[in-house]
Every structure is written in structure tokens, then in C-alpha cells.
Amino acid sequence: MGEWLSSLDVWWFWLALGLFLAAAEMLVPGIFLIWLAGAALVIGALAFLLPIGVPVQILLFAVLAIATLYLGKRYLRDNPIAAADPAMNKRGLRLAGQMATVTQAISGGQGRVHHGDTEWIARGPDAPVGARVRITGADGAELLVEPTE
């Protein structure tokens, strides 16, 4: 059974590893494994084209993996990926511009407001219970509000 495995060329291993890492990149959050996949695919191509030994292949893979990780991180730092919707999954930010009703008087800059079916901790200028306020933003789980005119 092991004969066919020992008869396989090493470049098949590198190509399989590269494809496996590329597929794993889709399952793992972040952009990390794709650089290792690229390094493995390059080593697979080099092993196919050039008669280099396995120790040299491993050394080249290590060097290439470190280089691609560094260059990839540098590229992403210089060219950040812009979010299509910066307020996605940030419910407080999505409420900016909407109206809320004060349920616990805002005094000393703190109180509670009701919006939709939820009561939120609010920060803003003093306002009595029942006053209508405009949501201007969010700081964590606290809504930032201002009085309406």
C-alpha cells in the first residue's frame, strides 16, 4: 500500500497543501492562510520544474511563507479593506438620527431612553421623563442623545 505513496512526486504534496490551505482560508476568519497557500503552490511549481531536494523545498517554503506573510500584512496595512457598511452589526450606530423617548430622566449627563422595543442607557444634556430626544450616535452600549427643538 505504501509503494504508490513513495512513488508520488513531492510536488504533488505541495500543490495539495496549497489547495488545502486556500480552502481552509474560506473557513477561517482573517487573511492569513492564503499567504501560506501561495507559498506552498509556488514551491510545488518549483519542485515540478526544477530538480531540488526535499530539504531545500522545506527551507524555501519557510522563507517564502515568512516573506509572503510580511508582504501581505504590509499590503493590507497600506491598502485597508473598506467596509461596505461601517455600521453593520453596530445597532447603536444604526439608530443615529432617529427619535427616542426619555424613560428615566437624564440628569448629570446620564439617563435611559426608549427606542423601538428596547430601553437604552443614554448620555446627553439633561432632559425630563417623556421628553423626545434625537439619537446622535453610540458609545458602546450607550446612546448619545440631544434634545429636539
Side-chain angles (χ1 to χ4, degrees), residues 51-123:
I52 53 179
V54 174
V56 174
Q57 292 175 24
I58 293 171
L59 179 65
L60 285 174
F61 174 73
V63 170
L64 193 57
I66 291 169
T68 56
L69 285 170
Y70 173 75
L71 293 173
K73 184 176 179 179
R74 187 172 173 190
Y75 175 80
L76 290 174
R77 183 194 68 215
D78 294 343
N79 303 299
I81 299 170
D85 183 3
M88 183 180 290
N89 296 328
K90 296 178 183 173
R91 187 171 177 206
L93 290 178
R94 287 197 173 277
L95 299 177
Q98 297 186 22
M99 304 297 286
T101 306
V102 177
T103 56
Q104 179 183 347
I106 300 175
S107 67
Q110 286 261 328
R112 293 184 75 81
V113 296
H114 185 274
H115 178 273
D117 62 351
T118 307
E119 195 167 295
W120 295 76
I121 298 172
R123 279 193 327 209

